[in-house]
Amino acid sequence: MFVKHSLDRKIALFIVYVDDIVITGDDDAQVNQLKQLLAKEFEAKVLGQLKYFLGMEIARTKNGISISQRKYTLDLLQETGMLGCKAVNTPIEQVKRSEDEDVPSNKDRYQSLVRKLIYLTHTRSDIGFVVSMASRYMSNPTENDMRNVNRILQYLKGTPGRGLYFQKNSNRGIEVYTDYDWAGCLSDRKSTTGYCTFVWGNMVTWRSKKQSVVARSSAEAEFRAMSQGICEGIWLKRMLDEIKIPTNHPMKILCDNKAAISIAKNPVQHDITKHVEID
């Protein structure tokens, strides 16, 4: 993303991915000048108002903007032969993984499916956790793992058009919600960090990722999740500052673990928290 600032505090944004380009901003003169410059130097085609970009569909209303990957989802279901499958209400079942009894699955097909699902998480935060779990077994997938991926596809069958909605509101703050799955991985007992960030009341980023070390308490797992969420919030604040959007309100970090909140307020409590001091 490239940013052009004008003297009257207006901006023009130039976003490029390989040969796909989005030009936007509130400086109409700079936007038009940029289009003319590109037309002189390159063979470019102006497609008008943004409606489709890298598999993402954009729709506008008076109250906001919606982004989904409906066509991408339907094409994925068609490609995998799951377009006629029975839809389910949840993307995952609470089942235990049996590594000793499972039969190896088609590795290439599994990796291809998971990669496509990872791209779908750009607008589908509701499958972020289960796709993160599926990606852990890319090197040695089993039939049990393949069944879990097929269940995600069954879930997508019932919700192909679900996505993001950015609406107008008066909120001008940054909020970060953090959570964790303590010792949720049965093979190595590592916890999973989960967070999502809201800018001006709209969710813009989210993540679900296994923590790098084993947390010996739920407070430690939550504290590490909070630190990752804070890093994401700081990055968002810096990006907003770069495009001259003021963020005068302090960020809000929300979690539901009283012990982790206590450690955050007073990190020098006792010896048991020294190993998480860097977070």
Side-chain angles (χ1 to χ4, degrees):
M1 181 179 71
F2 301 91
V3 185
K4 176 67 182 295
H5 298 285
S6 302
L7 296 177
D8 54 357
R9 299 186 65 82
K10 290 186 176 182
I11 61 172
L13 297 174
F14 180 85
I15 304 166
V16 58
Y17 182 83
V18 190
D19 60 349
D20 293 292
I21 299 171
V22 175
I23 303 175
T24 186
D26 57 1
D27 191 337
D28 295 335
Q30 287 291 341
V31 169
N32 292 329
Q33 183 180 353
L34 185 54
K35 291 179 182 178
Q36 295 172 5
L37 179 63
L38 288 172
K40 290 180 181 179
E41 298 292 334
F42 307 100
E43 184 179 346
K45 184 178 181 181
V46 179
L47 301 177
Q49 196 175 60
L50 185 65
K51 295 181 180 179
Y52 193 81
F53 184 69
L54 300 178
M56 288 176 274
E57 302 168 55
I58 296 91
R60 291 174 175 80
T61 66
K62 292 182 179 180
N63 298 320
I65 299 173
S66 66
I67 302 178
S68 68
Q69 292 173 277
R70 184 176 184 276
K71 184 179 183 302
Y72 181 90
T73 302
L74 294 175
D75 289 344
L76 177 59
L77 292 172
Q78 179 71 41
E79 178 186 340
T80 56
M82 299 289 286
L83 193 59
C85 69
K86 181 180 178 181
V88 295
N89 295 325
T90 59
I92 190 173
E93 287 182 297
Q94 188 64 34
V95 294
K96 292 185 177 181
R97 176 179 169 83
S98 177
E99 296 186 12
D100 296 332
E101 300 175 2
D102 283 342
V103 178
S105 181
N106 187 319
K107 182 177 179 179
D108 293 336
R109 183 173 185 271
Y110 183 86
Q111 291 179 343
S112 176
L113 281 174
V114 173
R115 290 192 186 102
K116 292 176 180 178
L117 289 172
I118 290 174
Y119 187 72
L120 188 56
T121 59
H122 283 18
T123 59
R124 296 293 299 263
S125 58
D126 53 335
I127 63 171
F129 174 69
V130 292
V131 173
S132 172
M133 290 188 63
S135 64
R136 297 175 186 177
Y137 309 108
M138 295 273 275
S139 60
N140 188 27
T142 64
E143 288 299 323
N144 181 62
D145 300 323
M146 184 63 76
R147 283 194 296 271
N148 293 335
V149 169
N150 287 334
R151 182 176 178 87
I152 300 175
L153 295 174
Q154 287 181 272
Y155 172 72
L156 293 174
K157 166 66 185 303
T159 58
R162 186 169 292 176
L164 301 172
Y165 183 65
F166 302 96
Q167 61 182 348
K168 297 178 181 179
N169 56 59
S170 58
N171 184 358
R172 289 295 181 268
I174 299 177
E175 296 177 330
V176 183
Y177 291 80
T178 62
D179 209 345
Y180 65 99
D181 175 25
W182 182 39
C185 184
L186 299 179
S187 58
D188 58 15
R189 285 303 179 183
K190 290 182 180 179
S191 306
T192 299
T193 289
Y195 65 77
C196 59
T197 62
F198 286 73
V199 177
W200 294 10
N202 296 291
M203 186 167 67
V204 293
T205 65
W206 54 89
R207 193 178 194 188
S208 176
K209 183 177 176 60
K210 187 194 289 187
Q211 295 181 2
S212 57
V213 296
V214 176
R216 299 170 66 182
S217 68
S218 60
E220 179 183 339
E222 177 74 87
F223 194 77
R224 295 187 190 279
M226 289 173 63
S227 70
Q228 290 296 312
I230 289 172
C231 290
E232 184 76 3
I234 292 174
W235 174 79
L236 282 171
K237 186 179 184 302
R238 288 175 177 171
M239 191 183 72
L240 290 172
D241 291 340
E242 184 179 350
I243 58 178
K244 306 300 182 184
I245 295 179
T247 53
N248 300 322
H249 304 285
M251 286 188 295
K252 288 184 179 180
I253 310 297
L254 299 102
C255 78
D256 58 1
N257 188 293
K258 292 183 178 180
I261 295 173
S262 178
I263 296 172
K265 291 181 177 179
N266 181 20
V268 190
Q269 289 189 342
H270 40 70
D271 292 343
I272 200 169
T273 61
K274 282 187 175 180
H275 62 295
V276 294
E277 182 180 359
I278 190 170
D279 284 317

